[in-house]
Amino acid sequence: MTLEQQLLQNNPLHGLSLEKMITELVDHYGWEILDTAMRMNCFNTKPSIASSVKYLKKTEWAREKVEAFYLSRFKRMPRASAAEFELPPRMRTFAHGITPKTPMELTVESILLSQAKAASAHKERSNNGRNRRR
């Protein structure tokens, strides 16, 4: 087994089916929090495990977004390095000994606050970039 294969086995997504991942997320967070965090119709309009899995299998960007959420919020794994950020979440490696932590406690309010802060920071960076070009 190569080193990369060993590091991939340390990824919580290794061997995890989409159905099991969605089930774990829904059981812990519920549909409303998933919808607020990721804004996907499969979590909003008549959500079900089966319809979400079907959609995520067809839609790569959505699947990667859910997998990234699973790694960062549910398993609380370290942020991807700049080089690994370009890889799909299932292909990211984690050093031996790094273990998942307890899931992050989220509420609709905490997600909306976090999104507002991120939007404000983005706007600030955009404005600073415009001011430097003048």
Side-chain angles (χ1 to χ4, degrees), residues 13 16 21 24-25 66-72 74-75:
L13 296 172
L16 181 69
M21 178 177 51
E24 286 181 24
L25 290 172
V66 172
E67 289 173 347
F69 178 89
Y70 183 86
L71 287 175
S72 67
F74 189 68
K75 293 296 184 177

Side-chain angles (χ1 to χ4, degrees), residues 19-114:
E19 182 176 359
K20 178 133 175 68
M21 178 177 51
I22 296 298
T23 301
E24 286 181 24
L25 290 172
V26 170
D27 287 349
H28 187 78
Y29 292 120
W31 294 111
E32 185 179 16
I33 288 178
L34 294 179
D35 177 47
T36 303
M38 292 179 266
R39 297 287 179 199
M40 291 183 210
N41 263 350
C42 68
F43 298 143
N44 183 10
T45 308
K46 296 181 184 177
S48 72
I49 302 292
S51 66
S52 296
V53 168
K54 183 177 178 180
Y55 174 74
L56 295 172
K57 282 185 177 181
K58 291 181 189 178
T59 315
E60 185 177 349
W61 68 265
R63 182 178 59 252
E64 288 179 5
K65 188 172 185 175
V66 172
E67 289 173 347
F69 178 89
Y70 183 86
L71 287 175
S72 67
R73 302 280 177 95
F74 189 68
K75 293 296 184 177
R76 295 180 52 204
M77 297 299 280
R79 237 176 238 267
S81 66
E84 288 218 329
F85 188 75
E86 299 300 319
L87 296 173
R90 283 194 182 269
M91 297 306 298
R92 295 180 187 162
T93 60
F94 295 95
H96 182 68
I98 293 179
T99 58
K101 298 176 185 165
T102 58
M104 188 180 283
E105 292 303 319
L106 299 173
T107 62
V108 169
E109 293 78 22
S110 70
I111 293 168
L112 293 173
L113 181 62
S114 175

